[in-house]
Amino acid sequence: VENRVTRVVDASAVNAIVTTTGLDRLYDLAIDRLNAMLVEYTRGTVDLKERDGFVLSAPHDGLLEWMPAIRRGSTVSVKMVGYNPHNPLTYRLPTILSTLYVFDAATGHLRSVIDGTFATALRTGAASAIASRILARPGARTVGLIGCGAQAVTQLHALSRVFDVNEVLVSDLDATSEKTFARRSRFPADRVRVASPAEVERHADIICTATSVAPGAGPVLSGDNLRPGVHINSVGSDMPGKCELPRSLLRQAVVCPDHPAQAAREGECQQLDPEEIGPSLFDLVQSPALADPLREVLTVYDSTGLALQDLAMAELFEDLAVAYEVGHELVIETNAGDPQDPYAFLADAQPDRVDEPRNAYA
Amino acid sequence: VENRVTRVVDASAVNAIVTTTGLDRLYDLAIDRLNAMLVEYTRGTVDLKERDGFVLSAPHDGLLEWMPAIRRGSTVSVKMVGYNPHNPLTYRLPTILSTLYVFDAATGHLRSVIDGTFATALRTGAASAIASRILARPGARTVGLIGCGAQAVTQLHALSRVFDVNEVLVSDLDATSEKTFARRSRFPADRVRVASPAEVERHADIICTATSVAPGAGPVLSGDNLRPGVHINSVGSDMPGKCELPRSLLRQAVVCPDHPAQAAREGECQQLDPEEIGPSLFDLVQSPALADPLREVLTVYDSTGLALQDLAMAELFEDLAVAYEVGHELVIETNAGDPQDPYAFLADAQPDRVDEPRNAYA
């Protein structure tokens, strides 16, 4: 009988992985892994299922979703992600809680359980960096952030790994978020400036909208003052009815979704007819020539999040956990020995256990 | 900052739960919990998603599926289950590996990870016991088993908790499986008799087909010699093309699926037109009068497996693990404290970490 262990990469193991690797290098690794995953998708070696989940209505409104992906012949990952806006105030927990489950595609064995909270933040930033590298002007220097929460921090950090960002304009409905952004982002404070959305439009080469604007309450940008050739990453909390950008802006732009069907349901693409939607990020990676003319025009990356990104993060964190020997190794799955005897696993402890009889076992 | 723990109910914790509870009592608890779940489904307090998953083709043919269910306001469970027939010979692992994940519906917090292998065997047996209690003659004494593997053991054990089983007829293509059944089942050996499928048909009051017959290779019973009013639980490995019972038998019988849509895709109901399918187990629990006339006629329970059953088992094993204080308590999910600072969780270890710069963090 072979007992296979499951590695549980818990909160302290993730802390060790991030600390040992260093944030900058971790972003670089995430960007490289995500980029490789896009290429592999175009080759058919990886695949994903669309996000599905439960809408939670009691005791609070929220979501709990699963995002499965597969590297054929090797690994299946499932990310579970909860979106529960009541968490911080009511439970002192993060709005987003997430875990990654990694299975061996040869056996179905649960190879790893990994805290997915930081991996999710990291991959969403890294995805925008990849889209921006493809769609923004290479000389982009000024980043504008509409919405200054946790997502804005990871957006900026990832962008700074592929662009020489020398100025950051931050805009949020909450002045405290604006003021604390430089500290939270660890970005040099003298290059961070609070700005109105109109100022962001006038100066930024790359804009990230990472807001929690409610369906019907947007848009968060007018689109009237944009610089020529600006690239926008629209990242904010995706759901039916979501709208961070005005339809007029989307119609002038080349809008590139991460996943066309999902973006048409939850992202900015909801506002567009199918023929108004541009090439997907998959298309751009498969046919780089498509992107050449796009760097000089207004472009939008409609980011809704892909299970493939989570597969890339699951593999990255698993590799690092193994390399650093962090996490807990547990034998979770029973392996009874005799596949025909469902009670074989009890043999050692209780060779001939007969329990209080009710009927035939008397 | 509140750190929520996750209870990992690993193989040894499951062993302790089964040993401490006793097999008979565990079947009784499983039957009661499953029955309550059916009632709750008809009241709308629990819900499920249909099974979905990946077909594995490399390095072997197999399946990896997820089965999500929700008790509204309380618990979300996801069962992951792998079906990999190559496991025993190639990897010395069970064909079926399974894990249960339990989330708090208020916060999305991962409350428990539970080995699901034994829970899956248990619930499939318990489901047949419930269906048989509704559809078979109350005086049923003789059980026939077509296919004598692990599933047959749990089918018989569960049936023996609700019927006074005094004779068991076992039939399998593999003579060793027939001969070892009594030992494996822990059923009194003098009441177990090897029989041909025709003998099973002639004598059994309740028949369970729990075979791994390949699509196109069935049926495993002729249906020509059945006793009047017999009840059949068709349990064997469900997949498109599956056929354990002949169509002629199904057309004479009242066929009751656990989940009509799933059974029409994977179960015996594939062979029937929609109007030939009888009431579901949900219908029978909601309207018990429907079942009264069915106990005296030929009935088939088309068992394909429900995420609700897994939710019931997840709650049962979680409750028992808490009561017995078994399993490992780990802090898996990072709770950074400041929801706007994705790096807050690093604060203790590395207050102002700045890593080797590439671009802007120089």
Side-chain angles (χ1 to χ4, degrees):
Chain A
V1 175
E2 188 149 347
N3 283 311
R4 296 287 172 102
V5 299
T6 298
R7 185 179 292 265
V8 181
V9 183
D10 61 356
S12 76
V14 168
N15 195 322
I17 287 168
V18 179
T19 304
T20 307
T21 309
L23 280 169
D24 284 0
R25 196 165 114 71
L26 198 57
Y27 275 93
D28 296 346
L29 290 170
I31 289 167
D32 291 347
R33 295 274 188 136
L34 250 57
N35 200 64
M37 196 63 84
L38 290 169
V39 172
E40 286 169 279
Y41 181 79
T42 65
R43 292 180 183 156
T45 50
V46 300
D47 199 5
L48 77 164
K49 295 268 180 180
E50 278 184 51
R51 179 162 41 216
D52 193 9
F54 288 116
V55 175
L56 310 173
S57 51
H60 313 284
D61 290 329
L63 288 173
L64 188 62
E65 301 186 307
W66 42 95
M67 302 179 72
I70 184 169
R71 177 186 297 284
R72 298 213 169 273
S74 158
T75 301
V76 172
S77 70
V78 176
K79 184 170 85 167
M80 296 294 302
V81 55
Y83 177 75
N84 289 282
H86 290 78
N87 273 1
L89 282 178
T90 312
Y91 301 101
R92 301 180 69 191
L93 289 173
T95 295
I96 293 173
L97 283 171
S98 176
T99 34
L100 296 161
Y101 306 92
V102 185
F103 301 88
D104 178 2
T107 63
H109 164 60
L110 175 66
R111 217 162 58 202
S112 304
V113 175
I114 305 170
D115 176 31
T117 312
F118 187 66
T120 298
L122 184 66
R123 64 87 153 147
T124 307
S128 287
I130 291 170
S132 302
R133 190 164 59 186
I134 295 172
L135 293 168
R137 290 180 167 170
R141 294 285 176 275
T142 302
V143 170
L145 300 171
I146 308 289
C148 295
Q151 294 261 33
V153 171
T154 52
Q155 291 288 310
L156 174 61
H157 204 149
L159 285 171
S160 76
R161 302 306 297 165
V162 296
F163 293 93
D164 273 319
V165 180
N166 62 13
E167 187 179 31
V168 182
L169 304 176
V170 298
S171 179
D172 198 293
L173 295 179
D174 175 26
T176 306
S177 291
E178 291 176 331
K179 267 183 285 186
T180 59
F181 180 81
R183 176 182 57 75
R184 287 184 283 115
S185 69
R186 280 74 167 165
F187 201 85
D190 58 355
R191 299 195 224 153
V192 178
R193 191 156 62 79
V194 174
S196 68
E199 283 177 281
V200 168
E201 291 193 37
R202 273 195 295 276
H203 296 290
D205 302 310
I206 298 173
I207 298 174
C208 299
T209 58
T211 72
S212 55
V213 64
V220 300
L221 270 187
S222 75
D224 295 340
N225 308 299
L226 293 169
R227 301 190 56 173
V230 67
H231 172 69
I232 303 175
N233 298 299
S234 174
V235 174
S237 192
D238 299 311
M239 58 184 73
K242 166 238 167 110
C243 158
E244 288 190 309
L245 304 178
R247 191 171 181 180
S248 55
L249 185 163
L250 294 171
R251 285 186 156 170
Q252 294 166 48
V254 178
V255 180
C256 303
D258 53 2
H259 189 289
Q262 194 167 272
R265 212 170 44 235
E266 306 173 10
E268 297 299 317
C269 285
Q270 290 177 92
Q271 301 187 63
L272 296 177
D273 294 328
E275 68 276 10
E276 294 176 310
I277 298 173
S280 73
L281 205 57
F282 294 128
D283 298 330
L284 294 170
V285 166
Q286 186 160 32
S287 310
L290 280 179
D292 291 338
L294 301 184
R295 276 185 278 273
E296 297 303 317
V297 302
L298 175 61
T299 50
V300 171
Y301 174 53
D302 190 5
S303 167
T304 61
L306 291 178
L308 282 185
Q309 296 163 346
D310 301 313
L311 171 57
M313 292 303 100
E315 291 178 334
L316 174 59
F317 278 75
E318 188 181 53
D319 289 349
L320 293 173
V322 169
Y324 302 154
E325 297 178 342
V326 294
H328 303 265
E329 289 191 333
L330 301 177
V331 176
I332 295 180
E333 297 153 322
T334 294
N335 187 0
D338 179 355
Q340 291 214 308
D341 183 356
Y343 306 143
F345 74 100
L346 299 170
D348 296 341
Q350 299 279 108
D352 281 302
R353 186 177 181 81
V354 176
D355 301 293
E356 358 145 19
R358 190 156 85 177
N359 292 318
Y361 284 71
Chain B
V1 174
E2 189 150 345
N3 282 314
R4 296 287 172 102
V5 298
T6 298
R7 185 179 292 264
V8 181
V9 183
D10 60 356
S12 76
V14 167
N15 195 324
I17 287 168
V18 179
T19 304
T20 307
T21 309
L23 281 169
D24 284 0
R25 197 166 115 69
L26 198 58
Y27 276 92
D28 295 347
L29 291 169
I31 289 167
D32 291 349
R33 296 273 187 135
L34 250 56
N35 201 65
M37 197 62 85
L38 291 169
V39 173
E40 287 169 280
Y41 182 78
T42 65
R43 292 183 183 152
T45 51
V46 299
D47 200 5
L48 76 166
K49 295 269 180 178
E50 279 185 52
R51 178 163 42 215
D52 193 8
F54 288 115
V55 175
L56 310 174
S57 51
H60 313 285
D61 290 331
L63 287 173
L64 189 62
E65 302 186 308
W66 42 95
M67 302 179 70
I70 184 168
R71 178 185 297 285
R72 299 213 168 276
S74 158
T75 300
V76 172
S77 70
V78 177
K79 183 169 85 167
M80 296 293 303
V81 55
Y83 177 74
N84 290 283
H86 290 77
N87 274 0
L89 282 178
T90 313
Y91 300 102
R92 301 179 69 190
L93 288 173
T95 296
I96 293 173
L97 284 170
S98 175
T99 35
L100 296 161
Y101 306 91
V102 185
F103 300 88
D104 179 3
T107 62
H109 164 59
L110 175 66
R111 218 162 57 201
S112 304
V113 175
I114 305 171
D115 176 31
T117 311
F118 188 66
T120 297
L122 184 66
R123 64 88 152 146
T124 307
S128 288
I130 291 170
S132 302
R133 190 163 59 184
I134 295 172
L135 293 168
R137 290 179 166 172
R141 294 286 176 276
T142 302
V143 169
L145 301 171
I146 309 289
C148 294
Q151 295 260 32
V153 171
T154 53
Q155 292 287 310
L156 174 62
H157 205 149
L159 285 172
S160 76
R161 302 307 297 165
V162 298
F163 293 94
D164 273 321
V165 180
N166 61 14
E167 188 178 32
V168 182
L169 305 177
V170 298
S171 180
D172 198 292
L173 295 179
D174 174 26
T176 306
S177 291
E178 291 177 331
K179 268 183 284 186
T180 59
F181 181 81
R183 176 184 58 73
R184 285 184 284 115
S185 70
R186 281 74 167 163
F187 200 84
D190 58 355
R191 299 196 222 153
V192 178
R193 193 156 61 80
V194 174
S196 69
E199 283 177 280
V200 169
E201 291 194 36
R202 273 195 296 275
H203 297 291
D205 303 311
I206 298 172
I207 298 174
C208 299
T209 58
T211 71
S212 55
V213 64
V220 300
L221 270 186
S222 75
D224 294 339
N225 308 299
L226 293 169
R227 303 191 55 174
V230 68
H231 171 70
I232 303 175
N233 298 300
S234 174
V235 174
S237 191
D238 300 310
M239 58 184 71
K242 166 239 168 105
C243 158
E244 289 189 311
L245 304 178
R247 192 172 180 179
S248 55
L249 185 164
L250 294 170
R251 285 186 157 170
Q252 293 165 49
V254 178
V255 180
C256 303
D258 53 1
H259 190 288
Q262 196 166 273
R265 211 170 43 235
E266 305 173 12
E268 296 300 317
C269 286
Q270 292 178 89
Q271 301 186 63
L272 297 176
D273 293 328
E275 66 277 11
E276 294 176 310
I277 299 172
S280 73
L281 206 59
F282 295 130
D283 298 330
L284 294 170
V285 166
Q286 185 159 34
S287 311
L290 280 180
D292 291 337
L294 301 184
R295 277 184 278 273
E296 298 303 317
V297 303
L298 175 61
T299 50
V300 171
Y301 173 53
D302 190 5
S303 168
T304 60
L306 292 177
L308 282 184
Q309 298 162 345
D310 301 313
L311 171 57
M313 291 303 99
E315 291 179 334
L316 174 59
F317 277 75
E318 188 182 54
D319 289 349
L320 293 173
V322 170
Y324 302 153
E325 297 178 341
V326 294
H328 303 265
E329 290 191 331
L330 301 177
V331 176
I332 296 180
E333 297 152 322
T334 295
N335 187 358
D338 178 356
Q340 291 213 311
D341 183 356
Y343 306 141
F345 74 102
L346 298 170
D348 296 342
Q350 298 279 108
D352 281 301
R353 185 177 181 82
V354 176
D355 301 293
E356 2 147 13
R358 191 154 87 179
N359 291 318
Y361 284 69

